[in-house]
Amino acid sequence: MSGAQARPRSQARHLTLNTDGKRHPLLNTAAAYTVLAGLASFIIGMVNREHFAGSVLGVTGMLVGLASQMMSVTRAERIVIVFGIVASFVGMALGFAHGGFS
């Protein structure tokens, strides 16, 4: 054993999508939009009168999510993007079930 003092490690964990140490501002913005659009379309899609907005948010969330999934670099980004894609799909389906783009 060495005589060096063991330094306590900081146990604070940071929520980051950039686990590779590099910055990805465009991908992080796309991931955030995908999740927010997915959650919004899911909530709005349940309202019968707001089916158009739910459908539009669901479609745009899916398209942005699928495009950003192709460019994603880290595993954390992919997890967030897939969550947003699934939420967007469900919101889009609910919007379509209530009338879609009509």
Side-chain angles (χ1 to χ4, degrees):
M1 290 236 153
S2 68
Q5 291 284 348
R7 292 183 189 167
R9 287 188 179 179
S10 174
Q11 296 297 326
R13 299 195 68 181
H14 300 293
L15 177 64
T16 181
L17 298 179
N18 304 330
T19 56
D20 63 345
K22 298 176 184 173
R23 296 185 63 219
H24 309 118
L26 182 63
L27 289 174
N28 292 343
T29 304
Y33 176 79
T34 303
V35 169
L36 293 176
L39 291 175
S41 69
F42 179 75
I43 292 168
I44 293 171
M46 290 187 204
V47 180
N48 196 12
R49 286 178 276 143
E50 299 297 328
H51 56 84
F52 182 77
S55 299
V56 169
L57 278 172
V59 168
T60 59
M62 278 191 57
L63 292 177
V64 169
L66 291 172
S68 61
Q69 182 74 0
M70 296 293 288
M71 296 181 286
S72 66
V73 179
T74 65
R75 181 177 183 260
E77 286 173 348
R78 292 183 191 114
I79 291 170
V80 171
I81 291 169
V82 167
F83 173 77
I85 290 171
V86 170
S88 295
F89 175 77
V90 172
M92 179 187 68
L94 287 170
F96 286 171
H98 291 269
F101 294 118
S102 61

